[in-house]
Amino acid sequence: MSLPEPRRLRVAIMSDEIGWHTRQLQRALRARGGIGRCIDLADCEVDTSTGPHGLLLPGFGRTLPDAVIVRGIAAGSFEQVTQRLGVLHALQALGVPVWNEARAIERSVDKGMTSLLLHAAGIATPPTWATESMARARRVLVREAASGHAVVRKPLFGSQGKGLMLVGATPDGWVDLPEAPNGHHYLQRFLPPLAQPGHDWRVLVIGGRAVAAMRRVSAHWVHNVAQGARCEAAALTPELGCIAEAASAALGLDYAGVDVMPSAGPQPLQVLEVNGVAAWRGLQQVTSFNIAQALVDDLVDRKMAGLAPWRPSEREAAHLQVVPTRRA
């Protein structure tokens, strides 16, 4: 009697944009015998009338994917973002491996929470303040100016270097803090470049291990590639790897892009941010191995180790009108 062919691994790639990154992940999944289907979390729905799990994911009918890769979550209202994250929480609760998990993404997206967790873990990071009080925020600027420091104002939720502003005692003179459109101020001590042009490092951590690094070089104090910085190959030193791995672990991330800044102070390396939905196109240009394949291999070999692809139980199968196949 011939055995049935094993069903291919089906992975949902959650992304609000289809492009280079999603194509790279799909290609890497095909190399592992799987299929990657791109889904916008905004198109996922809760519908408890359709099946025992109560979720509707485009392209999966009444079944669930075997795993989920979170590539991006679109901005939206509080209610919209809450539902999108709720779908990820629900998938995890239903036994579907989610990579990165919703709770870890929440920690990394909220810069205030990131700063708290890094500080609590004893990881070097610039002094940071988050407040809804304009008066307290301005007092921070005055205190920092008295000690010779400028301050960077950042959006609490933001990426790619957008919305950053140098305030307080800047090299070009005093810049007052403007009113925040959302009533919230996230402030971080400015670390001036040690040379011109300045740089920081982006370190990629996969499965708890730092695997690649690059220098992001720019004459401007913002070093994001999206803001015009150039990518240069960089040695992944033990010091860089150690601080990046510690930062990723502090937030509970499966993979992370950790931004590390050189500093003239007693702590020569400081973590600025930790990205839980990190892009890697710039890093791939200066890295010899296939990053997307390394990401997918970690999902399959570590995150899904010992897990059979999702199958409905007998009760679920009866409801879904499919032939049941038990988990291994």
Side-chain angles (χ1 to χ4, degrees):
M1 181 178 68
S2 61
L3 295 175
E5 292 186 6
R7 181 170 62 78
R8 296 180 70 184
L9 181 73
R10 302 179 310 151
V11 177
I13 302 172
M14 299 299 189
S15 178
D16 58 316
E17 294 182 353
I18 308 301
W20 183 86
H21 289 89
T22 53
R23 289 193 296 270
Q24 290 284 306
L25 290 171
Q26 288 174 317
R27 186 175 297 118
L29 284 164
R30 286 196 297 271
R32 293 299 302 263
I35 301 171
R37 183 180 296 277
C38 296
I39 301 175
D40 191 337
L41 274 167
D43 295 328
C44 299
E45 299 178 2
V46 173
D47 186 346
T48 59
S49 69
T50 61
H53 51 73
L55 291 176
L56 284 179
L57 275 61
F60 287 92
R62 295 187 176 186
T63 66
L64 294 178
D66 300 314
V68 170
I69 297 174
V70 183
R71 175 65 211 117
I73 303 175
S77 67
F78 179 77
E79 290 81 0
Q80 288 172 318
V81 174
T82 297
Q83 172 160 313
R84 293 164 194 171
L85 289 169
V87 169
L88 298 180
H89 281 295
L91 285 163
Q92 185 178 340
L94 289 164
V96 177
V98 179
W99 192 93
N100 281 306
E101 297 177 358
R103 187 70 188 95
I105 290 175
E106 289 168 352
R107 295 186 190 109
S108 64
V109 168
D110 179 348
K111 291 186 177 65
M113 179 57 69
T114 296
S115 296
L116 278 174
L117 292 172
L118 293 175
H119 178 72
I123 298 167
T125 186
T128 302
W129 302 265
T131 179
E132 296 184 35
S133 168
M134 173 64 85
R136 284 195 287 271
R138 284 178 169 157
R139 284 199 292 271
V140 167
L141 265 61
V142 172
R143 289 199 306 268
E144 286 295 286
S147 58
H149 298 294
V151 175
V152 180
R153 190 191 76 169
K154 302 181 180 181
L156 187 66
F157 308 115
S159 62
Q160 299 183 328
K162 298 176 182 177
L164 274 60
M165 181 179 182
L166 200 60
V167 294
T170 76
D172 297 324
W174 182 266
V175 176
D176 200 8
L177 187 67
E179 291 286 344
N182 57 3
H184 184 276
H185 300 278
Y186 175 88
L187 306 171
Q188 191 172 68
R189 179 177 290 173
F190 175 59
L191 297 180
L194 303 184
Q196 280 296 340
H199 77 277
D200 67 2
W201 291 276
R202 163 60 65 89
V203 183
L204 180 66
V205 179
I206 303 177
R209 185 171 63 92
V211 298
M214 69 174 175
R215 283 169 30 116
R216 302 186 300 186
V217 182
S218 176
H220 194 272
W221 60 271
V222 179
H223 298 126
N224 296 76
V225 175
Q227 301 302 317
R230 72 175 185 270
C231 304
E232 294 183 352
L236 181 56
T237 64
E239 295 78 13
L240 267 179
C242 182
I243 196 170
E245 289 171 3
S248 179
L251 274 65
L253 291 161
D254 291 309
Y255 79 103
V258 183
D259 297 341
V260 182
M261 187 78 180
S263 171
Q267 298 167 317
L269 298 178
Q270 298 203 37
V271 175
L272 293 183
E273 294 185 11
V274 183
N275 193 323
V277 285
W280 65 89
R281 190 167 189 171
L283 182 59
Q284 185 65 82
Q285 296 171 4
V286 295
T287 302
S288 59
F289 65 90
N290 187 312
I291 292 174
Q293 195 64 62
L295 295 169
V296 166
D297 289 346
D298 180 69
L299 168 67
V300 175
D301 297 334
R302 181 187 60 83
K303 188 79 170 180
M304 300 185 69
L307 293 178
W310 185 88
R311 299 289 195 277
S313 67
E314 291 184 1
R315 179 180 64 84
E316 293 169 333
H319 184 90
L320 299 174
Q321 297 181 337
V322 299
V323 178
T325 304
R326 293 186 179 276
R327 287 182 182 266

